[in-house]
Amino acid sequence: CTVVYNYTNPGECSFEDGLCGYHNSPEDDHFEWDRQNGTTASISTGPANDHTLNNNLGYYMFIEASIPRVQGDTAIFSSPWLITKDWYDYNCNLTFWYHMKGAHIGQLDVK
């Protein structure tokens, strides 16, 4: 599917140049997603590199799941409306890379 949008194409966002129109939920969650490069503050939990540049200069989105987070906390990160050139083209696929490491990391829900 081909995405049409005014920002950097959110259908092909690597987060190298910003959030591409993606955003944290203003309500209904407990903490926020952050744009990060390099390692995270929690030792041995985050990635050493991003997927796009495969070095510590590249950016990725992450949540800090360590203290003060508690079981049941959520962080919602939303995309802008993804509009295809052809209104009848519903064959879009979501592809992303993720890294989840930690003793009590919980789960990632994609909706």
Side-chain angles (χ1 to χ4, degrees), residues 5-110:
Y5 203 76
N6 292 332
Y7 294 106
T8 300
N9 188 342
E12 297 180 8
C13 185
S14 67
F15 303 112
E16 297 306 319
D17 297 317
L19 298 183
C20 313
Y22 289 77
H23 60 277
N24 282 293
S25 175
E27 53 192 47
D28 298 329
D29 65 357
H30 303 96
F31 61 113
E32 306 298 328
W33 286 81
D34 292 308
R35 183 173 166 260
Q36 171 86 23
N37 67 336
T39 59
T40 60
S42 298
I43 298 171
S44 297
T45 60
N49 299 323
D50 79 315
H51 181 271
T52 306
L53 300 181
N54 196 29
N55 63 36
N56 63 354
L57 301 176
Y59 285 87
Y60 56 90
M61 298 304 297
F62 91 105
I63 55 172
E64 181 55 67
S66 302
I67 295 173
R69 303 283 65 90
V70 296
Q71 185 174 357
D73 278 357
T74 58
I76 300 172
F77 193 59
S78 300
S79 74
W81 284 101
L82 302 177
I83 303 168
T84 63
K85 286 183 179 179
D86 299 315
W87 66 269
Y88 53 84
D89 182 6
Y90 295 108
N91 295 316
C92 293
N93 294 309
L94 175 66
T95 303
F96 62 95
W97 291 264
Y98 66 96
H99 175 98
M100 295 174 65
K101 184 178 178 185
H104 305 285
I105 195 63
Q107 65 189 40
L108 175 65
D109 292 331
V110 178

